[in-house]
Amino acid sequence: MKPKQLLTLLTILTTFIGYAQNTITVDNNLGVVEVPNLIYANLQDAIDAAVNGDTLYIQPSATSYGDAILNKQLSFIGRSHSENNKISYVDNIEIYPNASGSIFSGLYFTDKIYFTDENTVNNLIFKNNYINWIDFDFTTGGINNFILTGNVVNILGAPSSITSPIQNGVITNNIFLDDIYIFYPETVTIKNNIFFCYTSQILITNESGNNTELVIENSIILKLNANSGDVSANDNIQFTNCLTYSPNGDIFNVLAGSGNLSNINPQFVNVTDNVFDAYNDDYHLQAGSPAIGAGTDGEDIGLYNSSGYLFNMLGITYGLPSVNITNITQTVQEGEPLQVTIQASSN
């Protein structure tokens, strides 16, 4: 992808965040009182009440907000995808072309994000989410301008029986736990991700059906389980300045491509033998790591590179406002004022 394309896509994020017209709170916790156009317990009701450009704050809850259909441009902001007792769960969300320009951040999608309309959806941003599956079911439509950054993703795309048409996509600084399928590799940037081989091989597939190469840059592929498989990559996939490693001493096959570091410890600050441990894993590189400066253009290999993007293991949305009561009068006489000290901040 040309640098100009990448800059244009990243500019979308700034443009859309500043576009919100109104804010609506979605909260299904016990005791919450609904207020039309302000507070809803049901996610679909909130979507139906919103207008293009609105922001929906999805409050943490032990109960999922279920399924929803999205046919307008909205921003969805959850608290986190992995912070204890502060997770915003959504099951399925079906996205239609009128939802072009929507943003999703800080959410835990337990099932699918999927697209079934035959028209193109434009300008979608997924950031700081845990996503079970982004499932594409287009035959004539697709996604144009797609940013996937800072997420934990099980599956991206689907096999060739269901095309996976992403055009002008930026897929960076994510953790992938399972397979990915890419249909238009010539317009997709995939770099600075971590791919896990955990219980089986990880499948990385170029679905283009032509001779266009899919290039994966500056990424780390880990085999954390002694019974894991290897990387299964079909033809026309090139790994550039990537690193493979297994803490168990298993040996990866040599990756196709150039500048790769095979079977070398990246020297993370800390990594457990779990597939993803939000509280105990730390994928920053220690001083002296062979991955430092070993990427393309002298960048670091792995989640954290010169872009300055800060991968958040808990999936907390940066800049989310919060209010804390720091002091309150314990008792007051009838008719006397109650004194409360409130501190506002953003994470």
Side-chain angles (χ1 to χ4, degrees):
M1 177 178 290
K2 297 179 180 179
K4 183 178 179 181
Q5 289 178 295
L6 180 59
L7 179 61
T8 300
L9 287 170
L10 294 177
T11 302
I12 293 170
L13 178 61
T14 305
T15 302
F16 288 148
I17 284 178
Y19 180 63
Q21 295 178 343
N22 305 295
T23 59
I24 296 175
T25 297
V26 187
D27 192 341
N28 64 5
N29 287 282
L30 187 65
V32 172
V33 178
E34 292 190 314
V35 179
N37 299 315
L38 291 176
I39 303 174
Y40 291 91
N42 182 277
L43 177 58
Q44 189 64 60
D45 289 345
I47 292 172
D48 294 343
V51 298
N52 285 333
D54 283 356
T55 295
L56 275 59
Y57 286 104
I58 316 299
Q59 297 302 304
S61 174
T63 303
S64 174
Y65 288 93
D67 301 343
I69 295 174
L70 180 61
N71 56 5
K72 59 187 70 171
Q73 180 207 326
L74 301 174
S75 294
F76 297 81
I77 310 297
R79 166 64 189 187
S80 81
H81 63 59
S82 292
E83 187 176 10
N84 289 339
N85 302 315
K86 294 182 179 180
I87 300 175
S88 303
Y89 293 102
V90 176
D91 292 337
N92 295 288
I93 188 161
E94 184 173 1
I95 299 177
Y96 283 83
N98 286 342
S100 293
S102 292
I103 299 171
F104 305 84
S105 179
L107 300 169
Y108 191 120
F109 291 95
T110 65
D111 200 348
K112 288 184 182 181
I113 298 168
Y114 61 103
F115 310 79
T116 56
D117 195 276
E118 304 309 321
N119 296 298
T120 298
V121 185
N122 297 291
N123 306 329
L124 293 180
I125 298 171
F126 294 90
K127 193 172 183 179
N128 298 332
N129 304 286
Y130 191 111
I131 303 171
N132 182 54
W133 188 359
I134 302 180
D135 183 15
F136 307 109
D137 191 9
F138 294 102
T139 54
T140 58
I143 299 176
N144 181 47
N145 290 346
F146 175 81
I147 296 177
L148 187 71
T149 300
N151 304 279
V152 180
V153 182
N154 274 323
I155 302 175
L156 173 64
S160 55
S161 58
I162 304 174
T163 59
S164 307
I166 300 173
Q167 298 189 70
N168 301 319
V170 176
I171 301 173
T172 61
N173 310 98
N174 303 284
I175 293 176
F176 287 97
L177 307 180
D178 211 321
D179 304 336
I180 71 169
Y181 306 85
I182 301 297
F183 197 76
Y184 289 116
E186 65 271 23
T187 66
V188 177
T189 296
I190 303 178
K191 63 186 299 187
N192 290 100
N193 300 287
I194 291 181
F195 299 90
F196 282 95
C197 298
Y198 186 61
T199 57
S200 62
Q201 67 182 13
I202 186 166
L203 183 64
I204 302 174
T205 306
N206 180 349
E207 293 287 343
S208 64
N210 56 36
N211 294 322
T212 304
E213 289 184 341
L214 171 63
V215 179
I216 297 176
E217 302 175 69
N218 300 356
S219 296
I220 295 176
I221 303 169
L222 296 176
K223 186 188 294 190
L224 296 183
N225 188 308
N227 297 318
S228 299
D230 210 315
V231 179
S232 177
N234 67 346
D235 294 338
N236 298 324
I237 294 182
Q238 293 292 306
F239 294 88
T240 302
N241 297 74
C242 294
L243 181 150
T244 60
Y245 175 64
S246 171
N248 301 298
D250 291 349
I251 302 300
F252 275 95
N253 295 326
V254 175
L255 299 174
S258 61
N260 298 306
L261 303 177
S262 298
N263 302 298
I264 294 178
N265 188 346
Q267 298 179 25
F268 293 124
V269 171
N270 188 58
V271 59
T272 64
D273 60 357
N274 297 314
V275 66
F276 175 71
D277 189 329
Y279 277 93
N280 295 306
D281 289 340
D282 186 343
Y283 295 105
H284 285 91
L285 302 173
Q286 298 181 44
S289 165
I292 294 176
T296 54
D297 300 322
E299 292 187 357
D300 293 349
I301 297 175
L303 285 180
Y304 305 93
N305 62 341
S306 61
S307 69
Y309 181 77
L310 299 176
F311 185 91
N312 189 302
M313 293 293 290
L314 299 177
I316 296 173
T317 301
Y318 292 110
L320 194 65
S322 62
V323 175
N324 295 315
I325 297 176
T326 59
N327 186 51
I328 185 170
T329 305
Q330 295 297 315
T331 59
V332 295
Q333 297 295 322
E334 183 177 352
E336 292 186 355
L338 176 68
Q339 295 184 350
V340 180
T341 303
I342 296 176
Q343 183 180 51
S345 63
S346 63
N347 53 34

